[in-house]
Amino acid sequence: MERTSTRVVNGLIRRVIADRDLYLQAARGVREPGLKAILDESADALTAIAKELQGQVSAAGMRPATAGGPMSGVRRTIMEASVKLSHDPDVTYIRTLEQMERRLLDAFLRLESTSGDRAMVGRHIARLRLLHLDMTNLGSAAGR
């Protein structure tokens, strides 16, 4: 893995970790126990993606990112403010996570078009599509 690729992958690692943290925050804030379980499982899936990417960077002899990016706190604050203003906090969490997953999936799709390891990126894309599908289905069920 070349230095430029490492920088891109580390950016994705930071994004995945930040998104995972938002899933965990949402899991703590939702009222519905079934939704909490889904959000915890989604956070676990993002943790697995981050660890695999970190392993790839380490295997290349580089230092992997280990925390979310500088905007993580801002995104967390915005999500919590939206939830406080919402008449249905669970739906607000779902909608926020759905949008977030779409952006993360798009970032991985862009990486796939330039990556030398399409199989690894493809595995992550498959996981992210499932996460996004979960959020989309939950959003639809919540009566959009």
Side-chain angles (χ1 to χ4, degrees), residues 9 12-18 20 43-57 64-66 108 124 127:
V9 173
L12 284 174
I13 293 168
R14 283 188 288 279
R15 178 71 181 266
V16 169
I17 291 170
R20 185 243 3 239
D44 290 345
L46 290 172
T47 297
I49 291 171
K51 285 183 179 187
E52 190 170 332
L53 291 172
Q54 288 167 329
Q56 182 184 11
V57 172
T66 58
F108 272 86
H124 298 315
R127 284 181 181 166

mmCIF file with all atom_site columns, all heavy atoms in Angstrom, residues 9 12-18 20 43-57 64-66 108 124 127:
data_model
loop_
_atom_site.group_PDB
_atom_site.id
_atom_site.type_symbol
_atom_site.label_atom_id
_atom_site.label_alt_id
_atom_site.label_comp_id
_atom_site.label_asym_id
_atom_site.label_entity_id
_atom_site.label_seq_id
_atom_site.pdbx_PDB_ins_code
_atom_site.Cartn_x
_atom_site.Cartn_y
_atom_site.Cartn_z
_atom_site.occupancy
_atom_site.B_iso_or_equiv
_atom_site.pdbx_formal_charge
_atom_site.auth_seq_id
_atom_site.auth_comp_id
_atom_site.auth_asym_id
_atom_site.auth_atom_id
_atom_site.pdbx_PDB_model_num
ATOM 1   N N   . VAL A 1 9   ? -7.198  5.326  3.091  1.00 0.00 ? 9   VAL A N   1
ATOM 2   C CA  . VAL A 1 9   ? -7.741  4.281  3.962  1.00 0.00 ? 9   VAL A CA  1
ATOM 3   C C   . VAL A 1 9   ? -7.837  4.784  5.396  1.00 0.00 ? 9   VAL A C   1
ATOM 4   O O   . VAL A 1 9   ? -8.832  4.530  6.084  1.00 0.00 ? 9   VAL A O   1
ATOM 5   C CB  . VAL A 1 9   ? -6.920  2.978  3.857  1.00 0.00 ? 9   VAL A CB  1
ATOM 6   C CG1 . VAL A 1 9   ? -7.376  1.953  4.884  1.00 0.00 ? 9   VAL A CG1 1
ATOM 7   C CG2 . VAL A 1 9   ? -7.019  2.405  2.449  1.00 0.00 ? 9   VAL A CG2 1
ATOM 8   N N   . LEU A 1 12  ? -10.877 6.769  5.736  1.00 0.00 ? 12  LEU A N   1
ATOM 9   C CA  . LEU A 1 12  ? -12.056 5.907  5.859  1.00 0.00 ? 12  LEU A CA  1
ATOM 10  C C   . LEU A 1 12  ? -12.153 5.285  7.247  1.00 0.00 ? 12  LEU A C   1
ATOM 11  O O   . LEU A 1 12  ? -13.250 5.171  7.810  1.00 0.00 ? 12  LEU A O   1
ATOM 12  C CB  . LEU A 1 12  ? -12.021 4.812  4.795  1.00 0.00 ? 12  LEU A CB  1
ATOM 13  C CG  . LEU A 1 12  ? -12.390 5.267  3.390  1.00 0.00 ? 12  LEU A CG  1
ATOM 14  C CD1 . LEU A 1 12  ? -12.169 4.136  2.397  1.00 0.00 ? 12  LEU A CD1 1
ATOM 15  C CD2 . LEU A 1 12  ? -13.816 5.766  3.328  1.00 0.00 ? 12  LEU A CD2 1
ATOM 16  N N   . ILE A 1 13  ? -11.017 4.896  7.794  1.00 0.00 ? 13  ILE A N   1
ATOM 17  C CA  . ILE A 1 13  ? -11.018 4.332  9.149  1.00 0.00 ? 13  ILE A CA  1
ATOM 18  C C   . ILE A 1 13  ? -11.582 5.359  10.132 1.00 0.00 ? 13  ILE A C   1
ATOM 19  O O   . ILE A 1 13  ? -12.438 5.032  10.954 1.00 0.00 ? 13  ILE A O   1
ATOM 20  C CB  . ILE A 1 13  ? -9.600  3.888  9.581  1.00 0.00 ? 13  ILE A CB  1
ATOM 21  C CG1 . ILE A 1 13  ? -9.131  2.697  8.748  1.00 0.00 ? 13  ILE A CG1 1
ATOM 22  C CG2 . ILE A 1 13  ? -9.568  3.560  11.079 1.00 0.00 ? 13  ILE A CG2 1
ATOM 23  C CD1 . ILE A 1 13  ? -7.649  2.376  8.914  1.00 0.00 ? 13  ILE A CD1 1
ATOM 24  N N   . ARG A 1 14  ? -11.116 6.597  10.033 1.00 0.00 ? 14  ARG A N   1
ATOM 25  C CA  . ARG A 1 14  ? -11.624 7.652  10.928 1.00 0.00 ? 14  ARG A CA  1
ATOM 26  C C   . ARG A 1 14  ? -13.135 7.819  10.755 1.00 0.00 ? 14  ARG A C   1
ATOM 27  O O   . ARG A 1 14  ? -13.876 7.961  11.734 1.00 0.00 ? 14  ARG A O   1
ATOM 28  C CB  . ARG A 1 14  ? -10.892 8.966  10.680 1.00 0.00 ? 14  ARG A CB  1
ATOM 29  C CG  . ARG A 1 14  ? -9.503  9.010  11.287 1.00 0.00 ? 14  ARG A CG  1
ATOM 30  C CD  . ARG A 1 14  ? -8.871  10.390 11.207 1.00 0.00 ? 14  ARG A CD  1
ATOM 31  N NE  . ARG A 1 14  ? -8.472  10.735 9.856  1.00 0.00 ? 14  ARG A NE  1
ATOM 32  C CZ  . ARG A 1 14  ? -7.345  10.322 9.279  1.00 0.00 ? 14  ARG A CZ  1
ATOM 33  N NH1 . ARG A 1 14  ? -6.504  9.554  9.946  1.00 0.00 ? 14  ARG A NH1 1
ATOM 34  N NH2 . ARG A 1 14  ? -7.043  10.675 8.050  1.00 0.00 ? 14  ARG A NH2 1
ATOM 35  N N   . ARG A 1 15  ? -13.584 7.775  9.515  1.00 0.00 ? 15  ARG A N   1
ATOM 36  C CA  . ARG A 1 15  ? -15.022 7.932  9.235  1.00 0.00 ? 15  ARG A CA  1
ATOM 37  C C   . ARG A 1 15  ? -15.815 6.754  9.794  1.00 0.00 ? 15  ARG A C   1
ATOM 38  O O   . ARG A 1 15  ? -16.872 6.940  10.409 1.00 0.00 ? 15  ARG A O   1
ATOM 39  C CB  . ARG A 1 15  ? -15.222 8.057  7.727  1.00 0.00 ? 15  ARG A CB  1
ATOM 40  C CG  . ARG A 1 15  ? -16.657 8.175  7.284  1.00 0.00 ? 15  ARG A CG  1
ATOM 41  C CD  . ARG A 1 15  ? -17.186 9.556  7.700  1.00 0.00 ? 15  ARG A CD  1
ATOM 42  N NE  . ARG A 1 15  ? -18.565 9.685  7.316  1.00 0.00 ? 15  ARG A NE  1
ATOM 43  C CZ  . ARG A 1 15  ? -18.988 10.230 6.194  1.00 0.00 ? 15  ARG A CZ  1
ATOM 44  N NH1 . ARG A 1 15  ? -18.122 10.713 5.323  1.00 0.00 ? 15  ARG A NH1 1
ATOM 45  N NH2 . ARG A 1 15  ? -20.261 10.308 5.943  1.00 0.00 ? 15  ARG A NH2 1
ATOM 46  N N   . VAL A 1 16  ? -15.319 5.543  9.607  1.00 0.00 ? 16  VAL A N   1
ATOM 47  C CA  . VAL A 1 16  ? -16.005 4.351  10.111 1.00 0.00 ? 16  VAL A CA  1
ATOM 48  C C   . VAL A 1 16  ? -16.078 4.400  11.639 1.00 0.00 ? 16  VAL A C   1
ATOM 49  O O   . VAL A 1 16  ? -17.129 4.116  12.232 1.00 0.00 ? 16  VAL A O   1
ATOM 50  C CB  . VAL A 1 16  ? -15.309 3.058  9.622  1.00 0.00 ? 16  VAL A CB  1
ATOM 51  C CG1 . VAL A 1 16  ? -15.842 1.835  10.355 1.00 0.00 ? 16  VAL A CG1 1
ATOM 52  C CG2 . VAL A 1 16  ? -15.480 2.894  8.117  1.00 0.00 ? 16  VAL A CG2 1
ATOM 53  N N   . ILE A 1 17  ? -14.986 4.776  12.285 1.00 0.00 ? 17  ILE A N   1
ATOM 54  C CA  . ILE A 1 17  ? -14.974 4.862  13.751 1.00 0.00 ? 17  ILE A CA  1
ATOM 55  C C   . ILE A 1 17  ? -15.951 5.929  14.233 1.00 0.00 ? 17  ILE A C   1
ATOM 56  O O   . ILE A 1 17  ? -16.706 5.715  15.188 1.00 0.00 ? 17  ILE A O   1
ATOM 57  C CB  . ILE A 1 17  ? -13.545 5.125  14.272 1.00 0.00 ? 17  ILE A CB  1
ATOM 58  C CG1 . ILE A 1 17  ? -12.677 3.882  14.047 1.00 0.00 ? 17  ILE A CG1 1
ATOM 59  C CG2 . ILE A 1 17  ? -13.567 5.528  15.753 1.00 0.00 ? 17  ILE A CG2 1
ATOM 60  C CD1 . ILE A 1 17  ? -11.190 4.106  14.305 1.00 0.00 ? 17  ILE A CD1 1
ATOM 61  N N   . ALA A 1 18  ? -15.965 7.075  13.570 1.00 0.00 ? 18  ALA A N   1
ATOM 62  C CA  . ALA A 1 18  ? -16.895 8.148  13.946 1.00 0.00 ? 18  ALA A CA  1
ATOM 63  C C   . ALA A 1 18  ? -18.344 7.693  13.776 1.00 0.00 ? 18  ALA A C   1
ATOM 64  O O   . ALA A 1 18  ? -19.192 7.940  14.641 1.00 0.00 ? 18  ALA A O   1
ATOM 65  C CB  . ALA A 1 18  ? -16.623 9.396  13.113 1.00 0.00 ? 18  ALA A CB  1
ATOM 66  N N   . ARG A 1 20  ? -19.412 4.583  13.785 1.00 0.00 ? 20  ARG A N   1
ATOM 67  C CA  . ARG A 1 20  ? -19.659 3.568  14.815 1.00 0.00 ? 20  ARG A CA  1
ATOM 68  C C   . ARG A 1 20  ? -20.014 4.230  16.142 1.00 0.00 ? 20  ARG A C   1
ATOM 69  O O   . ARG A 1 20  ? -20.947 3.817  16.827 1.00 0.00 ? 20  ARG A O   1
ATOM 70  C CB  . ARG A 1 20  ? -18.408 2.695  14.980 1.00 0.00 ? 20  ARG A CB  1
ATOM 71  C CG  . ARG A 1 20  ? -18.586 1.528  15.929 1.00 0.00 ? 20  ARG A CG  1
ATOM 72  C CD  . ARG A 1 20  ? -17.751 1.474  17.185 1.00 0.00 ? 20  ARG A CD  1
ATOM 73  N NE  . ARG A 1 20  ? -16.868 2.529  17.502 1.00 0.00 ? 20  ARG A NE  1
ATOM 74  C CZ  . ARG A 1 20  ? -15.554 2.380  17.669 1.00 0.00 ? 20  ARG A CZ  1
ATOM 75  N NH1 . ARG A 1 20  ? -14.966 1.220  17.486 1.00 0.00 ? 20  ARG A NH1 1
ATOM 76  N NH2 . ARG A 1 20  ? -14.817 3.406  18.036 1.00 0.00 ? 20  ARG A NH2 1
ATOM 77  N N   . ALA A 1 43  ? -23.100 -1.246 15.040 1.00 0.00 ? 43  ALA A N   1
ATOM 78  C CA  . ALA A 1 43  ? -21.847 -0.710 15.579 1.00 0.00 ? 43  ALA A CA  1
ATOM 79  C C   . ALA A 1 43  ? -20.773 -1.791 15.573 1.00 0.00 ? 43  ALA A C   1
ATOM 80  O O   . ALA A 1 43  ? -19.608 -1.518 15.233 1.00 0.00 ? 43  ALA A O   1
ATOM 81  C CB  . ALA A 1 43  ? -22.064 -0.171 16.995 1.00 0.00 ? 43  ALA A CB  1
ATOM 82  N N   . ASP A 1 44  ? -21.155 -3.021 15.903 1.00 0.00 ? 44  ASP A N   1
ATOM 83  C CA  . ASP A 1 44  ? -20.201 -4.133 15.871 1.00 0.00 ? 44  ASP A CA  1
ATOM 84  C C   . ASP A 1 44  ? -19.682 -4.368 14.452 1.00 0.00 ? 44  ASP A C   1
ATOM 85  O O   . ASP A 1 44  ? -18.493 -4.638 14.258 1.00 0.00 ? 44  ASP A O   1
ATOM 86  C CB  . ASP A 1 44  ? -20.840 -5.421 16.401 1.00 0.00 ? 44  ASP A CB  1
ATOM 87  C CG  . ASP A 1 44  ? -21.100 -5.385 17.900 1.00 0.00 ? 44  ASP A CG  1
ATOM 88  O OD1 . ASP A 1 44  ? -20.543 -4.508 18.594 1.00 0.00 ? 44  ASP A OD1 1
ATOM 89  O OD2 . ASP A 1 44  ? -21.877 -6.246 18.373 1.00 0.00 ? 44  ASP A OD2 1
ATOM 90  N N   . ALA A 1 45  ? -20.571 -4.275 13.464 1.00 0.00 ? 45  ALA A N   1
ATOM 91  C CA  . ALA A 1 45  ? -20.157 -4.452 12.063 1.00 0.00 ? 45  ALA A CA  1
ATOM 92  C C   . ALA A 1 45  ? -19.168 -3.363 11.652 1.00 0.00 ? 45  ALA A C   1
ATOM 93  O O   . ALA A 1 45  ? -18.165 -3.642 10.980 1.00 0.00 ? 45  ALA A O   1
ATOM 94  C CB  . ALA A 1 45  ? -21.368 -4.452 11.140 1.00 0.00 ? 45  ALA A CB  1
ATOM 95  N N   . LEU A 1 46  ? -19.416 -2.129 12.079 1.00 0.00 ? 46  LEU A N   1
ATOM 96  C CA  . LEU A 1 46  ? -18.493 -1.044 11.758 1.00 0.00 ? 46  LEU A CA  1
ATOM 97  C C   . LEU A 1 46  ? -17.157 -1.228 12.475 1.00 0.00 ? 46  LEU A C   1
ATOM 98  O O   . LEU A 1 46  ? -16.102 -0.919 11.908 1.00 0.00 ? 46  LEU A O   1
ATOM 99  C CB  . LEU A 1 46  ? -19.122 0.308  12.094 1.00 0.00 ? 46  LEU A CB  1
ATOM 100 C CG  . LEU A 1 46  ? -20.282 0.715  11.186 1.00 0.00 ? 46  LEU A CG  1
ATOM 101 C CD1 . LEU A 1 46  ? -20.962 1.974  11.723 1.00 0.00 ? 46  LEU A CD1 1
ATOM 102 C CD2 . LEU A 1 46  ? -19.825 0.911  9.749  1.00 0.00 ? 46  LEU A CD2 1
ATOM 103 N N   . THR A 1 47  ? -17.184 -1.745 13.695 1.00 0.00 ? 47  THR A N   1
ATOM 104 C CA  . THR A 1 47  ? -15.945 -2.035 14.410 1.00 0.00 ? 47  THR A CA  1
ATOM 105 C C   . THR A 1 47  ? -15.123 -3.058 13.635 1.00 0.00 ? 47  THR A C   1
ATOM 106 O O   . THR A 1 47  ? -13.899 -2.910 13.495 1.00 0.00 ? 47  THR A O   1
ATOM 107 C CB  . THR A 1 47  ? -16.241 -2.551 15.833 1.00 0.00 ? 47  THR A CB  1
ATOM 108 O OG1 . THR A 1 47  ? -16.906 -1.515 16.564 1.00 0.00 ? 47  THR A OG1 1
ATOM 109 C CG2 . THR A 1 47  ? -14.973 -2.963 16.564 1.00 0.00 ? 47  THR A CG2 1
ATOM 110 N N   . ALA A 1 48  ? -15.786 -4.082 13.120 1.00 0.00 ? 48  ALA A N   1
ATOM 111 C CA  . ALA A 1 48  ? -15.084 -5.118 12.345 1.00 0.00 ? 48  ALA A CA  1
ATOM 112 C C   . ALA A 1 48  ? -14.468 -4.530 11.074 1.00 0.00 ? 48  ALA A C   1
ATOM 113 O O   . ALA A 1 48  ? -13.335 -4.869 10.711 1.00 0.00 ? 48  ALA A O   1
ATOM 114 C CB  . ALA A 1 48  ? -16.049 -6.257 12.000 1.00 0.00 ? 48  ALA A CB  1
ATOM 115 N N   . ILE A 1 49  ? -15.198 -3.648 10.410 1.00 0.00 ? 49  ILE A N   1
ATOM 116 C CA  . ILE A 1 49  ? -14.664 -3.003 9.203  1.00 0.00 ? 49  ILE A CA  1
ATOM 117 C C   . ILE A 1 49  ? -13.430 -2.176 9.558  1.00 0.00 ? 49  ILE A C   1
ATOM 118 O O   . ILE A 1 49  ? -12.403 -2.251 8.887  1.00 0.00 ? 49  ILE A O   1
ATOM 119 C CB  . ILE A 1 49  ? -15.739 -2.126 8.519  1.00 0.00 ? 49  ILE A CB  1
ATOM 120 C CG1 . ILE A 1 49  ? -16.835 -3.017 7.917  1.00 0.00 ? 49  ILE A CG1 1
ATOM 121 C CG2 . ILE A 1 49  ? -15.109 -1.229 7.446  1.00 0.00 ? 49  ILE A CG2 1
ATOM 122 C CD1 . ILE A 1 49  ? -18.052 -2.247 7.420  1.00 0.00 ? 49  ILE A CD1 1
ATOM 123 N N   . ALA A 1 50  ? -13.526 -1.385 10.620 1.00 0.00 ? 50  ALA A N   1
ATOM 124 C CA  . ALA A 1 50  ? -12.391 -0.549 11.032 1.00 0.00 ? 50  ALA A CA  1
ATOM 125 C C   . ALA A 1 50  ? -11.176 -1.411 11.363 1.00 0.00 ? 50  ALA A C   1
ATOM 126 O O   . ALA A 1 50  ? -10.051 -1.100 10.941 1.00 0.00 ? 50  ALA A O   1
ATOM 127 C CB  . ALA A 1 50  ? -12.772 0.314  12.232 1.00 0.00 ? 50  ALA A CB  1
ATOM 128 N N   . LYS A 1 51  ? -11.391 -2.507 12.086 1.00 0.00 ? 51  LYS A N   1
ATOM 129 C CA  . LYS A 1 51  ? -10.262 -3.375 12.460 1.00 0.00 ? 51  LYS A CA  1
ATOM 130 C C   . LYS A 1 51  ? -9.608  -3.998 11.238 1.00 0.00 ? 51  LYS A C   1
ATOM 131 O O   . LYS A 1 51  ? -8.381  -4.104 11.169 1.00 0.00 ? 51  LYS A O   1
ATOM 132 C CB  . LYS A 1 51  ? -10.727 -4.452 13.435 1.00 0.00 ? 51  LYS A CB  1
ATOM 133 C CG  . LYS A 1 51  ? -10.954 -3.918 14.826 1.00 0.00 ? 51  LYS A CG  1
ATOM 134 C CD  . LYS A 1 51  ? -11.333 -4.998 15.801 1.00 0.00 ? 51  LYS A CD  1
ATOM 135 C CE  . LYS A 1 51  ? -11.525 -4.365 17.176 1.00 0.00 ? 51  LYS A CE  1
ATOM 136 N NZ  . LYS A 1 51  ? -11.734 -5.348 18.211 1.00 0.00 ? 51  LYS A NZ  1
ATOM 137 N N   . GLU A 1 52  ? -10.408 -4.407 10.274 1.00 0.00 ? 52  GLU A N   1
ATOM 138 C CA  . GLU A 1 52  ? -9.822  -4.994 9.068  1.00 0.00 ? 52  GLU A CA  1
ATOM 139 C C   . GLU A 1 52  ? -9.021  -3.960 8.283  1.00 0.00 ? 52  GLU A C   1
ATOM 140 O O   . GLU A 1 52  ? -7.915  -4.244 7.812  1.00 0.00 ? 52  GLU A O   1
ATOM 141 C CB  . GLU A 1 52  ? -10.914 -5.602 8.184  1.00 0.00 ? 52  GLU A CB  1
ATOM 142 C CG  . GLU A 1 52  ? -10.328 -6.429 7.056  1.00 0.00 ? 52  GLU A CG  1
ATOM 143 C CD  . GLU A 1 52  ? -11.363 -7.233 6.300  1.00 0.00 ? 52  GLU A CD  1
ATOM 144 O OE1 . GLU A 1 52  ? -12.394 -7.604 6.881  1.00 0.00 ? 52  GLU A OE1 1
ATOM 145 O OE2 . GLU A 1 52  ? -11.123 -7.489 5.105  1.00 0.00 ? 52  GLU A OE2 1
ATOM 146 N N   . LEU A 1 53  ? -9.560  -2.764 8.177  1.00 0.00 ? 53  LEU A N   1
ATOM 147 C CA  . LEU A 1 53  ? -8.821  -1.696 7.486  1.00 0.00 ? 53  LEU A CA  1
ATOM 148 C C   . LEU A 1 53  ? -7.544  -1.343 8.249  1.00 0.00 ? 53  LEU A C   1
ATOM 149 O O   . LEU A 1 53  ? -6.488  -1.111 7.641  1.00 0.00 ? 53  LEU A O   1
ATOM 150 C CB  . LEU A 1 53  ? -9.706  -0.463 7.315  1.00 0.00 ? 53  LEU A CB  1
ATOM 151 C CG  . LEU A 1 53  ? -10.876 -0.593 6.349  1.00 0.00 ? 53  LEU A CG  1
ATOM 152 C CD1 . LEU A 1 53  ? -11.776 0.626  6.442  1.00 0.00 ? 53  LEU A CD1 1
ATOM 153 C CD2 . LEU A 1 53  ? -10.391 -0.800 4.924  1.00 0.00 ? 53  LEU A CD2 1
ATOM 154 N N   . GLN A 1 54  ? -7.623  -1.288 9.573  1.00 0.00 ? 54  GLN A N   1
ATOM 155 C CA  . GLN A 1 54  ? -6.439  -1.004 10.378 1.00 0.00 ? 54  GLN A CA  1
ATOM 156 C C   . GLN A 1 54  ? -5.381  -2.081 10.169 1.00 0.00 ? 54  GLN A C   1
ATOM 157 O O   . GLN A 1 54  ? -4.191  -1.777 10.075 1.00 0.00 ? 54  GLN A O   1
ATOM 158 C CB  . GLN A 1 54  ? -6.811  -0.896 11.858 1.00 0.00 ? 54  GLN A CB  1
ATOM 159 C CG  . GLN A 1 54  ? -7.578  0.355  12.187 1.00 0.00 ? 54  GLN A CG  1
ATOM 160 C CD  . GLN A 1 54  ? -8.209  0.322  13.563 1.00 0.00 ? 54  GLN A CD  1
ATOM 161 O OE1 . GLN A 1 54  ? -8.585  -0.741 14.070 1.00 0.00 ? 54  GLN A OE1 1
ATOM 162 N NE2 . GLN A 1 54  ? -8.354  1.501  14.172 1.00 0.00 ? 54  GLN A NE2 1
ATOM 163 N N   . GLY A 1 55  ? -5.821  -3.321 10.085 1.00 0.00 ? 55  GLY A N   1
ATOM 164 C CA  . GLY A 1 55  ? -4.887  -4.417 9.837  1.00 0.00 ? 55  GLY A CA  1
ATOM 165 C C   . GLY A 1 55  ? -4.213  -4.291 8.484  1.00 0.00 ? 55  GLY A C   1
ATOM 166 O O   . GLY A 1 55  ? -3.020  -4.581 8.341  1.00 0.00 ? 55  GLY A O   1
ATOM 167 N N   . GLN A 1 56  ? -4.947  -3.840 7.496  1.00 0.00 ? 56  GLN A N   1
ATOM 168 C CA  . GLN A 1 56  ? -4.383  -3.649 6.159  1.00 0.00 ? 56  GLN A CA  1
ATOM 169 C C   . GLN A 1 56  ? -3.305  -2.561 6.186  1.00 0.00 ? 56  GLN A C   1
ATOM 170 O O   . GLN A 1 56  ? -2.238  -2.721 5.605  1.00 0.00 ? 56  GLN A O   1
ATOM 171 C CB  . GLN A 1 56  ? -5.488  -3.279 5.175  1.00 0.00 ? 56  GLN A CB  1
ATOM 172 C CG  . GLN A 1 56  ? -5.001  -3.099 3.761  1.00 0.00 ? 56  GLN A CG  1
ATOM 173 C CD  . GLN A 1 56  ? -6.116  -2.633 2.827  1.00 0.00 ? 56  GLN A CD  1
ATOM 174 O OE1 . GLN A 1 56  ? -7.199  -2.255 3.255  1.00 0.00 ? 56  GLN A OE1 1
ATOM 175 N NE2 . GLN A 1 56  ? -5.827  -2.645 1.552  1.00 0.00 ? 56  GLN A NE2 1
ATOM 176 N N   . VAL A 1 57  ? -3.578  -1.474 6.881  1.00 0.00 ? 57  VAL A N   1
ATOM 177 C CA  . VAL A 1 57  ? -2.603  -0.381 6.978  1.00 0.00 ? 57  VAL A CA  1
ATOM 178 C C   . VAL A 1 57  ? -1.378  -0.853 7.758  1.00 0.00 ? 57  VAL A C   1
ATOM 179 O O   . VAL A 1 57  ? -0.241  -0.601 7.350  1.00 0.00 ? 57  VAL A O   1
ATOM 180 C CB  . VAL A 1 57  ? -3.239  0.875  7.626  1.00 0.00 ? 57  VAL A CB  1
ATOM 181 C CG1 . VAL A 1 57  ? -2.188  1.938  7.920  1.00 0.00 ? 57  VAL A CG1 1
ATOM 182 C CG2 . VAL A 1 57  ? -4.332  1.442  6.721  1.00 0.00 ? 57  VAL A CG2 1
ATOM 183 N N   . PRO A 1 64  ? -2.034  2.918  11.403 1.00 0.00 ? 64  PRO A N   1
ATOM 184 C CA  . PRO A 1 64  ? -3.462  3.112  11.120 1.00 0.00 ? 64  PRO A CA  1
ATOM 185 C C   . PRO A 1 64  ? -4.098  4.136  12.053 1.00 0.00 ? 64  PRO A C   1
ATOM 186 O O   . PRO A 1 64  ? -3.660  4.325  13.188 1.00 0.00 ? 64  PRO A O   1
ATOM 187 C CB  . PRO A 1 64  ? -4.062  1.728  11.362 1.00 0.00 ? 64  PRO A CB  1
ATOM 188 C CG  . PRO A 1 64  ? -3.162  1.107  12.374 1.00 0.00 ? 64  PRO A CG  1
ATOM 189 C CD  . PRO A 1 64  ? -1.779  1.650  12.083 1.00 0.00 ? 64  PRO A CD  1
ATOM 190 N N   . ALA A 1 65  ? -5.142  4.775  11.556 1.00 0.00 ? 65  ALA A N   1
ATOM 191 C CA  . ALA A 1 65  ? -5.943  5.681  12.383 1.00 0.00 ? 65  ALA A CA  1
ATOM 192 C C   . ALA A 1 65  ? -6.638  4.860  13.462 1.00 0.00 ? 65  ALA A C   1
ATOM 193 O O   . ALA A 1 65  ? -6.999  3.708  13.238 1.00 0.00 ? 65  ALA A O   1
ATOM 194 C CB  . ALA A 1 65  ? -6.966  6.402  11.517 1.00 0.00 ? 65  ALA A CB  1
ATOM 195 N N   . THR A 1 66  ? -6.812  5.456  14.636 1.00 0.00 ? 66  THR A N   1
ATOM 196 C CA  . THR A 1 66  ? -7.434  4.734  15.747 1.00 0.00 ? 66  THR A CA  1
ATOM 197 C C   . THR A 1 66  ? -8.609  5.481  16.365 1.00 0.00 ? 66  THR A C   1
ATOM 198 O O   . THR A 1 66  ? -9.211  5.005  17.326 1.00 0.00 ? 66  THR A O   1
ATOM 199 C CB  . THR A 1 66  ? -6.402  4.450  16.854 1.00 0.00 ? 66  THR A CB  1
ATOM 200 O OG1 . THR A 1 66  ? -5.850  5.699  17.294 1.00 0.00 ? 66  THR A OG1 1
ATOM 201 C CG2 . THR A 1 66  ? -5.305  3.529  16.353 1.00 0.00 ? 66  THR A CG2 1
ATOM 202 N N   . PHE A 1 108 ? -16.862 4.362  0.083  1.00 0.00 ? 108 PHE A N   1
ATOM 203 C CA  . PHE A 1 108 ? -16.287 3.047  -0.232 1.00 0.00 ? 108 PHE A CA  1
ATOM 204 C C   . PHE A 1 108 ? -16.439 2.713  -1.712 1.00 0.00 ? 108 PHE A C   1
ATOM 205 O O   . PHE A 1 108 ? -15.549 2.106  -2.309 1.00 0.00 ? 108 PHE A O   1
ATOM 206 C CB  . PHE A 1 108 ? -16.907 1.955  0.642  1.00 0.00 ? 108 PHE A CB  1
ATOM 207 C CG  . PHE A 1 108 ? -16.184 1.763  1.941  1.00 0.00 ? 108 PHE A CG  1
ATOM 208 C CD1 . PHE A 1 108 ? -16.495 2.547  3.041  1.00 0.00 ? 108 PHE A CD1 1
ATOM 209 C CD2 . PHE A 1 108 ? -15.168 0.823  2.068  1.00 0.00 ? 108 PHE A CD2 1
ATOM 210 C CE1 . PHE A 1 108 ? -15.825 2.390  4.239  1.00 0.00 ? 108 PHE A CE1 1
ATOM 211 C CE2 . PHE A 1 108 ? -14.486 0.661  3.263  1.00 0.00 ? 108 PHE A CE2 1
ATOM 212 C CZ  . PHE A 1 108 ? -14.814 1.445  4.346  1.00 0.00 ? 108 PHE A CZ  1
ATOM 213 N N   . HIS A 1 124 ? -16.426 -4.937 2.306  1.00 0.00 ? 124 HIS A N   1
ATOM 214 C CA  . HIS A 1 124 ? -16.907 -3.827 3.137  1.00 0.00 ? 124 HIS A CA  1
ATOM 215 C C   . HIS A 1 124 ? -18.142 -3.193 2.521  1.00 0.00 ? 124 HIS A C   1
ATOM 216 O O   . HIS A 1 124 ? -19.074 -2.824 3.238  1.00 0.00 ? 124 HIS A O   1
ATOM 217 C CB  . HIS A 1 124 ? -15.812 -2.792 3.343  1.00 0.00 ? 124 HIS A CB  1
ATOM 218 C CG  . HIS A 1 124 ? -14.621 -3.330 4.072  1.00 0.00 ? 124 HIS A CG  1
ATOM 219 N ND1 . HIS A 1 124 ? -14.719 -4.114 5.196  1.00 0.00 ? 124 HIS A ND1 1
ATOM 220 C CD2 . HIS A 1 124 ? -13.307 -3.222 3.820  1.00 0.00 ? 124 HIS A CD2 1
ATOM 221 C CE1 . HIS A 1 124 ? -13.514 -4.444 5.620  1.00 0.00 ? 124 HIS A CE1 1
ATOM 222 N NE2 . HIS A 1 124 ? -12.637 -3.913 4.790  1.00 0.00 ? 124 HIS A NE2 1
ATOM 223 N N   . ARG A 1 127 ? -21.139 -5.267 3.396  1.00 0.00 ? 127 ARG A N   1
ATOM 224 C CA  . ARG A 1 127 ? -21.568 -5.026 4.784  1.00 0.00 ? 127 ARG A CA  1
ATOM 225 C C   . ARG A 1 127 ? -22.280 -3.686 4.911  1.00 0.00 ? 127 ARG A C   1
ATOM 226 O O   . ARG A 1 127 ? -23.304 -3.570 5.575  1.00 0.00 ? 127 ARG A O   1
ATOM 227 C CB  . ARG A 1 127 ? -20.364 -5.017 5.728  1.00 0.00 ? 127 ARG A CB  1
ATOM 228 C CG  . ARG A 1 127 ? -19.795 -6.347 6.052  1.00 0.00 ? 127 ARG A CG  1
ATOM 229 C CD  . ARG A 1 127 ? -18.633 -6.165 7.011  1.00 0.00 ? 127 ARG A CD  1
ATOM 230 N NE  . ARG A 1 127 ? -18.005 -7.410 7.355  1.00 0.00 ? 127 ARG A NE  1
ATOM 231 C CZ  . ARG A 1 127 ? -16.836 -7.493 7.954  1.00 0.00 ? 127 ARG A CZ  1
ATOM 232 N NH1 . ARG A 1 127 ? -16.176 -6.398 8.284  1.00 0.00 ? 127 ARG A NH1 1
ATOM 233 N NH2 . ARG A 1 127 ? -16.323 -8.660 8.243  1.00 0.00 ? 127 ARG A NH2 1
#
